[in-house]
Amino acid sequence: MDDRVTATVTFGLLAAWALHDAEEVALLPGWLRRNLPELRERFPAVPEKAWRQAEAVDEREFAVSVGLMAAVVTAASAAGHLTGGRSAFYQAALNGFGLHGLVHLAQAAAVRGYTPGSATSPLLVVPFTLWARGRLRRAGVLRPTRPRDAAVGLAVAAAATVATHAAARRLLGR
């Protein structure tokens, strides 16, 4: 058996992310417009500021934000490839990607229906993450993952999302 960490493992993260985010780019802005009134009603504890920010996202801003995030995921994948999967940045991005998929599934459960990203999460995001982590484990390069690491990974992914949206607004002159 070949235990090398191949480009399929490292750049596979970028490919899986691109397919997953294609679903989000195609569907999120319209889904939000259609579902925001009902979501506001069902989840009154969510701060009004969060609802206003969700309302303000349009197709262009979201697409630019995703493009900026592509640079982050590309850098993580390249770091993984250059280090044979050892890069902490790559492994954190991989873990964040998988956890992001679980968040999509939790969102779909919370709304009791489809949410953008919830179709590719069980079919692509979670399986790819588990497969890639298995390949890293077999190659002997997988870093131990503690609950704290998972929390940090989600926080970094959230911060990157906020930062790319802020940069997209600035680039679009908003």
Side-chain angles (χ1 to χ4, degrees):
M1 177 164 71
D2 185 2
D3 287 339
R4 288 179 303 131
V5 175
T6 64
T8 306
V9 176
T10 57
F11 285 111
L13 171 61
L14 178 59
W17 174 86
L19 290 169
H20 171 70
D21 268 40
E23 175 191 4
E24 291 181 322
V25 167
L27 300 172
L28 181 74
W31 184 91
L32 265 180
R33 275 194 307 278
R34 288 187 307 277
N35 290 281
L36 219 47
E38 179 187 341
L39 293 172
R40 268 189 153 129
E41 221 173 90
R42 286 183 59 197
F43 302 102
V46 173
E48 183 58 30
K49 182 179 180 180
W51 295 125
R52 282 196 306 273
Q53 286 176 334
E55 283 176 331
V57 175
D58 66 9
E59 286 88 349
R60 282 181 17 151
E61 178 186 319
F62 191 69
V64 170
S65 175
V66 168
L68 294 170
M69 187 64 83
V72 174
V73 178
T74 299
S77 296
H81 187 69
L82 292 171
T83 62
R86 288 174 179 80
S87 165
F89 178 37
Y90 163 73
Q91 289 191 25
L94 177 65
N95 292 338
F97 181 60
L99 291 169
H100 169 82
L102 295 178
V103 168
H104 277 299
L105 296 176
Q107 289 169 335
V111 303
R112 293 183 218 112
Y114 174 80
T115 58
S118 66
T120 52
S121 287
L123 300 174
L124 178 65
V125 175
V126 174
F128 173 80
T129 301
L130 293 173
W131 174 81
R133 285 180 51 81
R135 292 302 306 238
L136 295 172
R137 186 178 298 106
R138 280 193 295 284
V141 300
L142 183 65
R143 296 168 179 267
T145 304
R146 302 170 309 233
R148 178 186 167 281
D149 299 324
V152 168
L154 279 175
V156 169
T161 299
V162 169
T164 58
H165 275 279
R169 274 188 229 100
R170 178 164 241 178
L171 286 170
L172 294 171
R174 296 182 183 163

